[in-house]
């Protein structure tokens, strides 16, 4: 369903391809008024089907000739694991052969690639100092001043004009023939029908991200989707075409400004379907945070399902998020927007201490730091502003300026305001939410361990939650209410909340599937495939994942923080962990010879990624902590 409203029908009136006659329809109407089916299939006529059996016989019209070749995933059967949803020949959520050499190869692939650099799901977080890495203009705009030069959100009248000027996608044609009750059931047979509706669809991915997100494209291929990737030319994902996993890789110069990237993407999408390899675009998606604003605008301009840009912009701007929550009558911490040093005195008086300072726009906890008093606040504020003020845009890139570097002052493209808000005590949780039709269909709570202050570095997580059921319920209800308050009605969301001494509070809403271990966590614990649900939403297919009454397994995971500053020389202990029963993976995040930072010198470096499973959440967490205590990646001082 198109986020922010409904036009009726399965896709809320937004599941179309093309705009203003510039984009070719998927099919042409037949003489009899129906739609011609693909060879050997049942025609998609104007008549509705009445049963699940009839619906499963529908064939997608004019889907293109490309047939994806999903690889055999590196997984084997695991005793005690039983997914509630059928995955055909693809055994998801089972033991993974975590090949050590392949993990090290991924670290090499990510180095020096603009496409990978743009993915903020990389272990470690963006800080003012890490921005000294040369950044493209698109990155600079989306990290520091989102939505940058992207088009403004369309008005209701403009969206209506788009919808009236275009023809429905092949996916919408099929969905319109099926009674809603068949598509919206939370059952295995309904999930199979939803997969049937997705099979053969052409879906555009904007940004491939890190090599570790390869599994997303493998999952799309297993569903029979014809994937088109729009990404910078240096991306690792270009090789997926040769492997038969994706249909096309279309290079986009992501070093340009956002406006130019948007225009190039529109032009490339407009050419789809003309060579017969794929159909025209049925949907558009991304699993990379910096491309969420771009994708929302592409979907809106093309009349495809997707988030409303205004909702995305509010979610990515911390101050705007707090304002939307306050308007909806939801709890929100005391906060103030600091636009200059003169505002610090007001902030200390109205917000008080302890407090948290963070840029109003940005992602990946950019510059987030706890402050204890007025002097601490002044020093931290000046540190953030000083670092950001030295940045300039030159030759299309964001770089640290010097007296002779020239370029355009980066403050002209980014919001230099700093949000000061009340420090939230208590335990933190992640809530992974699936929305469809304006209501939540799934919401799972995972506990987070205490962060390493003052930089809020993550420690561990466990699912299912160990919190009391009533506490989980309160947190879940707040997370869902916040997603709705921002204007979202469909899709997958990663929501972060805290249960404080005064009740539940929101930290932030991410309008996409969470990165890192989030996919595997939800699949193993509850049998819910968040990649699949993201793709359904992008195609306008309803979501209603079948969820078991009890968790299928318990999982715990962490990024191990460097205990001290020094050098990593040996990874042999980590290789040994991979062979332990119950260890799903133990991935190195650094290579031998790497210099790492400990808490005594700043924000700690992450050394490795551990993921384990046990029958209960308490057992899983205890096992994880025991492995971390073994110091699997020694640091030489």
């Amino acid at each position: 369903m198109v986020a922010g409203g409904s036009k009726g029908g399965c896709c809320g009136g937004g599941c179309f391809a093309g705009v203003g006659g510039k984009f070719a329809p998927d099919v042409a109407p037949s003489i009899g008024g129906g739609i011609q089916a693909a060879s050997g299939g049942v025609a998609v006529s104007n008549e509705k089907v009445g049963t699940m059996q009839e619906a499963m016989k529908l064939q997608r019209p004019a889907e293109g000739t490309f047939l994806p070749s999903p690889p055999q995933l590196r997984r084997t059967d695991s005793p005690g694991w039983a997914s509630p949803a059928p995955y055909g020949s693809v055994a998801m959520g089972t033991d993974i052969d975590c090949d050590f050499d392949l993990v090290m190869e991924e670290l090499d692939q990510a180095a020096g690639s603009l496409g990978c650099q743009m993915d903020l799901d990389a272990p470690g977080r963006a800080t003012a100092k890490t921005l000294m890495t040369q950044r493209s203009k698109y990155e600079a705009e989306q990290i520091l001043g989102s939505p940058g030069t992207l088009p403004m959100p369309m008005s209701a009248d403009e969206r209506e004009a788009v919808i009236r000027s275009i023809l429905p996608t092949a996916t919408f044609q099929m969905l319109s023939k099926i009674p809603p009750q068949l598509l919206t059931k939370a059952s295995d047979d309904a999930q199979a029908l939803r997969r049937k509706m997705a099979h053969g669809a052409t879906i555009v991915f904007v940004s491939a991200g890190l090599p570790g997100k390869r599994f997303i494209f493998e999952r799309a291929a297993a569903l029979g989707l014809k994937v088109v990737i729009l990404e910078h030319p240096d991306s690792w994902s270009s090789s997926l075409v040769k492997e038969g996993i994706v249909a096309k890789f279309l290079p986009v110069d992501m070093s340009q400004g956002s406006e130019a990237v948007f225009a190039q993407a529109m032009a490339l999408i407009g050419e789809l379907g003309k060579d017969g390899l794929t159909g025209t675009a049925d949907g558009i998606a991304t699993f990379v945070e910096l491309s969420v604003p771009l994708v929302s605008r592409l979907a809106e301009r093309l009349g495809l399902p997707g988030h409303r840009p205004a909702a995305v912009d509010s979610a990515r701007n911390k101050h705007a998020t707090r304002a939307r929550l306050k308007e909806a009558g939801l709890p929100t911490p005391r906060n103030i927007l600091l636009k200059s040093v003169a505002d610090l005195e007001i902030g200390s008086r109205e917000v008080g201490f302890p407090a948290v300072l963070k840029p109003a726009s940005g992602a990946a906890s950019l510059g987030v730091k706890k402050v204890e008093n007025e002097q601490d606040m002044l020093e931290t504020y000046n540190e953030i502003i000083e670092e950001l003020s030295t940045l300039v845009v030159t030759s299309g890139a964001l770089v640290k300026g010097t007296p002779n570097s020239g370029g355009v002052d980066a403050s002209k493209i980014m919001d230099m305001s700093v949000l000061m808000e009340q420090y939230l005590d208590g335990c933190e949780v992640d809530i992974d939410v699936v929305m469809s039709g304006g209501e939540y269909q799934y919401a799972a709570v995972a506990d987070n361990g205490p962060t390493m202050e003052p930089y809020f570095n993550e420690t561990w997580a466990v699912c299912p939650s160990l919190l009391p059921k009533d506490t989980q319920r309160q947190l879940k209800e707040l997370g869902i209410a916040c997603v709705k308050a921002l204007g979202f009605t469909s899709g997958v969301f990663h929501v972060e909340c805290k249960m404080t001494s005064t009740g539940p509070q929101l930290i932030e809403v991410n309008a996409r599937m969470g990165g890192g271990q989030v996919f595997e966590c939800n699949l193993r614990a509850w049998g819910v495939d968040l990649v699949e649900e993201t793709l359904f939403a992008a195609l306008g297919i309803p979501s209603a994942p079948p969820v078991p009454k009890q968790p299928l397994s318990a999982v715990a995971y962490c990024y191990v923080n460097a205990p001290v500053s020094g050098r990593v020389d040996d990874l042999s202990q980590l290789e040994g962990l991979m062979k332990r029963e119950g260890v799903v993976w133990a991935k190195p995040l650094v290579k031998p010879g790497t210099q790492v930072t400990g808490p005594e010198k700043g924000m700690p470096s992450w050394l490795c990624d551990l993921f384990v499973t046990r029958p209960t959440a308490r057992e899983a967490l205890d096992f994880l902590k025991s492995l971390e205590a073994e110091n699997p990646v020694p640091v030489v001082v």
Side-chain angles (χ1 to χ4, degrees):
M1 181 166 301
V2 176
S6 172
K7 298 292 295 179
C10 293
C11 300
C15 189
F16 302 103
V19 60
K22 294 183 179 179
F23 298 86
D26 293 313
V27 294
S30 68
I31 296 176
I35 302 297
Q36 296 295 332
S39 177
V42 177
V44 182
S45 68
N46 289 329
E47 296 183 3
K48 290 184 178 290
V49 300
T51 66
M52 185 70 72
Q53 291 73 23
E54 292 173 341
M56 290 295 290
K57 293 179 180 179
L58 288 174
Q59 294 289 330
R60 177 176 297 274
E63 66 180 57
T65 59
F66 174 76
L67 297 175
S69 302
Q72 291 294 321
L73 301 185
R74 296 188 299 276
R75 300 170 181 261
T76 57
D77 290 336
S78 173
W81 173 258
S83 171
Y87 289 94
S89 60
V90 182
M92 304 295 289
T94 53
D95 288 344
I96 299 173
D97 179 12
C98 188
D99 188 284
F100 196 81
D101 292 335
L102 288 176
V103 174
M104 300 305 291
E105 183 181 328
E106 285 184 0
L107 293 176
D108 290 333
Q109 286 179 320
S113 163
L114 176 57
C116 292
Q117 179 177 290
M118 285 172 46
D119 193 343
L120 300 180
D121 285 336
R125 297 180 293 126
T127 65
K129 291 184 178 179
T130 63
L131 288 173
M132 298 308 103
T133 302
Q134 181 164 307
R135 299 277 177 177
S136 73
K137 190 173 181 182
Y138 175 80
E139 281 182 282
E141 290 182 9
Q142 298 309 316
I143 291 176
L144 300 169
S146 182
T149 55
L150 288 172
M152 294 291 290
M154 298 171 70
S155 67
D157 288 343
E158 289 171 329
R159 287 194 298 272
E160 183 73 19
V162 168
I163 291 171
R164 291 181 179 277
S165 66
I166 58 182
L167 293 175
T169 64
T171 301
F172 180 78
Q173 293 166 22
M174 297 170 68
L175 292 172
S176 66
K177 311 305 174 189
I178 303 173
Q181 63 268 25
L182 294 183
L183 284 164
T184 56
K185 289 195 303 181
S187 63
D188 289 349
D189 58 347
Q191 192 76 350
L193 177 59
R194 290 186 283 270
R195 293 184 183 121
K196 169 68 175 178
M197 294 300 98
H199 191 279
T202 295
I203 189 163
V204 178
F205 282 75
V206 177
S207 302
L210 294 159
K213 291 187 174 177
R214 175 190 173 96
F215 74 91
I216 294 172
F217 302 100
E218 292 177 343
R219 185 69 190 114
L223 287 168
L225 293 172
K226 302 179 190 303
V227 172
V228 177
I229 298 176
L230 270 58
E231 177 61 285
H232 197 68
D234 68 354
S235 173
W236 63 275
S237 61
S238 61
S239 64
L240 297 179
V241 176
K242 187 175 182 180
E243 295 181 53
I245 296 173
V246 307
K248 291 185 176 185
F249 177 89
L250 302 179
V252 174
D253 183 1
M254 304 299 281
S255 69
Q256 308 174 93
S258 302
E259 184 178 22
V261 171
F262 174 84
Q264 188 176 356
M266 283 288 292
L268 290 170
I269 295 171
E271 294 297 310
L272 294 177
K274 293 184 178 180
D275 60 3
L277 188 65
T278 68
T280 53
D282 286 276
I284 181 168
T286 188
F287 290 81
V288 175
E289 177 65 28
L290 293 188
S291 290
V292 173
L294 171 60
V295 164
S296 70
R297 284 157 169 83
L298 290 170
E300 182 177 65
R301 194 63 62 92
L302 296 168
L304 294 171
H307 300 321
R308 289 282 176 86
V312 169
D313 294 347
S314 291
R316 298 201 76 237
N317 183 292
K318 306 297 189 293
H319 189 60
T321 296
R322 299 305 185 199
R324 300 293 87 76
L325 265 58
K326 189 174 182 180
E327 291 170 0
L330 296 172
T332 183
R334 298 186 301 274
N335 65 90
I336 187 173
L337 202 60
L338 306 176
K339 296 186 177 181
S340 69
V341 175
D343 295 329
L344 299 187
E345 183 179 349
I346 301 174
S348 63
R349 184 172 62 251
E350 295 187 359
V351 177
F353 299 100
V356 176
L357 295 188
K358 50 188 171 184
S361 62
S365 302
L366 172 68
V368 176
K369 191 173 181 181
K370 181 182 179 182
V371 294
E372 300 284 358
N373 50 53
E374 292 183 356
Q375 183 61 33
D376 201 9
M377 176 175 67
L378 176 61
E379 292 175 358
T380 300
Y381 177 83
N382 286 335
E383 177 186 330
I384 294 173
I385 296 300
E386 181 180 355
E387 292 286 0
L388 299 183
S389 297
T390 62
L391 303 178
V392 298
V393 178
T394 178
S395 301
L398 181 70
V399 299
K400 184 175 178 63
T402 66
N404 301 317
S405 62
V408 178
D409 183 354
S411 65
K412 297 185 184 301
I413 65 167
M414 60 179 158
D415 184 356
M416 301 288 283
S417 302
V418 175
L419 179 65
M420 178 185 185
E421 66 180 25
Q422 169 192 356
Y423 170 74
L424 300 177
D425 61 0
C427 55
E428 183 175 335
V429 301
D430 294 335
I431 309 166
D432 293 299
V433 179
V434 176
M435 296 281 293
S436 187
E439 295 297 334
Y440 90 95
Q441 307 300 321
Y442 171 80
V445 179
D447 299 344
N448 289 175
T451 56
M452 294 184 67
E453 297 180 357
Y455 298 101
F456 298 97
N457 236 25
E458 298 170 10
T459 52
W460 52 260
V462 62
C463 185
S465 172
L466 290 167
L467 295 172
K469 286 186 178 180
D470 184 62
T471 300
Q472 293 183 49
R473 179 187 57 78
Q474 292 181 59
L475 287 162
K476 186 172 75 170
E477 289 177 353
L478 176 66
I480 294 164
C482 290
V483 171
K484 292 181 178 181
L486 289 169
F488 296 110
T489 61
S490 66
V492 174
F493 304 87
H494 186 67
V495 184
E496 299 173 17
C497 292
K498 267 193 171 185
M499 177 53 77
T500 73
S501 55
T502 58
Q505 291 273 7
L506 175 78
I507 300 175
E508 65 181 11
V509 172
N510 299 281
R512 63 177 178 96
M513 183 184 84
Q517 308 94 334
V518 168
F519 169 79
E520 195 75 21
C521 169
N522 285 271
L523 191 60
R524 285 180 174 270
W526 297 106
V528 173
D529 183 338
L530 294 181
V531 170
E532 183 172 73
E533 300 305 327
T534 297
L535 299 178
F536 286 167
L539 294 168
I541 298 171
S543 285
V547 181
K549 293 182 179 180
Q550 298 293 327
L552 305 175
S553 179
V555 302
Y557 50 90
C558 72
Y559 291 131
V560 176
N561 290 274
V564 295
S565 299
R567 186 183 68 254
V568 172
D569 286 341
D570 181 28
L571 296 175
S572 59
Q573 289 180 237
L574 198 61
E575 291 186 76
L577 288 188
M578 292 185 181
K579 301 173 183 177
R580 299 267 194 96
E581 182 181 356
V583 175
V584 178
W585 66 60
K587 301 178 182 178
L589 300 178
V590 293
K591 300 184 70 175
T594 301
Q595 293 289 332
V596 298
T597 301
E600 80 283 3
K601 289 189 177 180
M603 187 169 70
S605 304
W606 279 334
L607 303 177
C608 63
D609 174 4
L610 303 180
F611 192 109
V612 304
T613 183
R614 279 288 189 265
T616 69
R618 173 54 61 190
E619 289 175 299
L621 182 57
D622 289 345
F623 181 43
L624 178 75
K625 289 182 176 180
S626 71
L627 296 181
E628 187 175 6
E630 293 180 20
N631 192 24
V633 181
V635 176
V636 179
V637 179

